[in-house]
Amino acid sequence: MSQTWAEKSIAKARRLDLTPEEYETEFHKYRGRHESNILEGKIDKGNFGKYLNVCFDSKVAILDEQERKEQERLRREAYYLSPAFAQKEANVQKLAATNPLHPRFTVSVEAIRDRVHLDDSPVLAVMKLDKIKDQLDCHVRPFIEAKYLNSQDEVDEIGNLKGRILRHALAALNGYYKQPVLATQEEFERAIDKAIAKVEPTMKPLFHQT
């Protein structure tokens, strides 16, 4: 092997963090393969130095890719922990809160009470809201169970359908969002019935049977 190829292979071995003993082991392993290739007629005339470097090149390429991915992971992690990302998330959450049909909107007690007045007493308001949500759950559950899904699918789909209905109901009342006068409980119930008709037309209304 020429001096040039030897120096290149040693530099690549250092890049791979090989010890002298490991380099020697690799050297003999690839030397054996190279000689086998010559004996089997796979190559007419061999240049072992070039062959050894090509073998190291593939390992260096793998290492380069691993390090690139790790650097990218660290950059993403640093960004997710940065004030810039925190501010971006805050802006997205603020925007989502104003639009019930936004993908990041969360159907929460606060989101409903920002649009609907259920009672002057916060405690009674939450109790009334819980009752409405329980009624919706009881209304949705048989509809989903009739599809004969497995237990986990039923739980997921019930939650998904309830969420879609409430988001559409709140979207219909979005003009009341944080206004001095909010929607009444009756308006909320009617909005839920309209949302049911929109999301699942085959399902009967919950509050106002027609």
Side-chain angles (χ1 to χ4, degrees):
M1 181 169 60
S2 70
Q3 182 68 24
T4 300
W5 286 120
E7 290 176 354
K8 287 182 178 180
S9 70
I10 291 172
K12 290 168 186 175
R14 288 172 179 164
R15 173 75 181 88
L16 295 169
D17 200 27
L18 298 181
T19 65
E21 293 78 12
E22 290 171 331
Y23 174 76
E24 184 176 356
T25 298
E26 292 292 285
F27 181 94
H28 289 297
K29 178 178 71 175
Y30 291 122
R31 181 75 175 181
R33 290 183 183 177
H34 184 68
E35 291 175 352
S36 294
N37 288 337
I38 295 174
L39 292 174
E40 293 172 7
K42 293 181 179 178
I43 52 177
D44 294 330
K45 183 175 67 173
N47 181 335
F48 173 63
K50 181 178 180 180
Y51 177 78
L52 177 62
N53 275 269
V54 169
C55 293
F56 278 151
D57 283 342
S58 62
K59 293 188 175 184
V60 170
I62 293 173
L63 179 62
D64 287 343
E65 180 63 14
Q66 290 173 340
E67 290 184 350
R68 185 194 67 77
K69 289 181 177 179
E70 177 62 13
Q71 289 299 319
E72 180 61 26
R73 185 189 68 79
L74 291 173
R75 281 194 294 271
R76 287 197 307 269
E77 186 176 276
Y79 173 63
Y80 292 149
L81 295 173
S82 70
F85 179 74
Q87 184 59 55
K88 179 181 177 181
E89 279 295 289
N91 293 339
V92 171
Q93 293 294 342
K94 184 177 180 180
L95 176 63
T98 68
N99 178 12
L101 298 182
H102 191 284
R104 298 285 293 275
F105 178 83
T106 300
V107 180
S108 63
V109 173
E110 292 74 18
I112 295 173
R113 293 185 64 191
D114 281 342
R115 296 165 175 83
V116 182
H117 177 264
L118 296 171
D119 200 284
D120 291 333
S121 166
V123 174
L124 292 178
V126 171
M127 291 175 64
K128 289 182 179 180
L129 178 55
D130 285 342
K131 182 179 179 180
I132 290 173
K133 291 167 72 175
D134 287 343
Q135 288 175 290
L136 181 58
D137 184 88
C138 292
H139 190 63
V140 166
R141 188 172 297 277
F143 181 83
I144 297 300
E145 290 176 345
K147 296 182 178 182
Y148 302 103
L149 304 173
N150 65 53
S151 298
Q152 188 56 54
D153 285 343
E154 286 180 0
V155 171
D156 294 341
E157 189 57 28
I158 288 170
N160 178 53
L161 182 54
K162 285 166 55 182
R164 289 164 57 204
I165 290 170
L166 288 173
R167 285 197 298 273
H168 278 277
L170 293 174
L173 302 176
N174 211 39
Y176 291 101
Y177 180 65
K178 290 190 175 181
Q179 295 299 308
V181 177
L182 301 179
T184 64
Q185 180 174 338
E186 182 178 355
E187 287 175 311
F188 184 38
E189 291 174 353
R190 290 189 179 279
I192 289 174
D193 281 342
K194 289 181 180 179
I196 290 173
K198 184 174 185 177
V199 172
E200 283 291 348
T202 60
M203 186 184 294
K204 294 180 179 179
L206 171 57
F207 296 103
H208 300 90
Q209 303 290 333
T210 55

